[in-house]
Amino acid sequence: MVFNTGAALLDAIVLAVVSREKEGTYGYKITLDVRKVLDVSESTLYPVLRRLQKDECLEVYDRQFDGRNRRYYRVTPKGMAQLQLYHEEWKLYSKKISELFEGGAA
């Protein structure tokens, strides 16, 4: 994709991906799901996960998998509220950009 992906958009995408799984999901699966819509590396996403955790939008827990711990991420109520805000803002933003491309609002 030729457009720059800022921190807020990455946060919104990660929250949207994680929110689809009620019990949470693990980092590598988050990376795979985000890559379906955006070309991004794991090294880009893990700081996003840490920031969302620090901001209390995600909670983290470990679960055994194949004899080792796998770190899972789950959206908190604060994270769901933030995701809703991002969703509303995205609808307004994308509508305005689409209107510009289609020759409408200036």
Side-chain angles (χ1 to χ4, degrees):
M1 183 176 283
V2 298
F3 298 104
N4 188 14
T5 306
L9 184 55
L10 275 173
D11 288 358
I13 291 168
V14 168
L15 285 172
V17 164
V18 176
S19 72
R20 295 186 303 178
E21 303 289 338
K22 182 177 175 141
E23 293 302 313
T25 187
Y26 56 97
Y28 183 65
K29 175 129 178 24
I30 295 168
T31 301
L32 293 177
D33 290 346
V34 170
R35 283 183 179 161
K36 291 176 184 175
V37 295
L38 187 67
D39 185 25
V40 66
S41 68
E42 284 182 76
S43 62
T44 299
L45 285 181
Y46 280 98
V48 173
L49 291 168
R50 283 191 297 274
R51 179 175 61 246
L52 289 169
Q53 180 187 0
K54 180 178 173 261
D55 292 344
E56 299 177 349
C57 291
L58 292 178
E59 60 186 15
V60 177
Y61 65 97
D62 291 336
R63 181 185 285 172
Q64 280 289 113
F65 180 80
D66 283 346
R68 62 181 182 87
N69 279 338
R70 179 182 273 175
R71 178 145 293 175
Y72 279 75
Y73 300 85
R74 181 173 34 221
V75 178
T76 64
K78 182 177 179 181
M80 288 304 293
Q82 186 64 44
L83 177 58
Q84 183 62 35
L85 176 66
Y86 283 141
H87 189 214
E88 294 300 318
E89 289 291 320
W90 177 257
K91 286 191 288 188
L92 291 172
Y93 177 77
S94 61
K95 181 177 183 261
K96 289 178 183 181
I97 297 298
S98 292
E99 287 172 355
L100 280 173
F101 282 138
E102 294 165 12

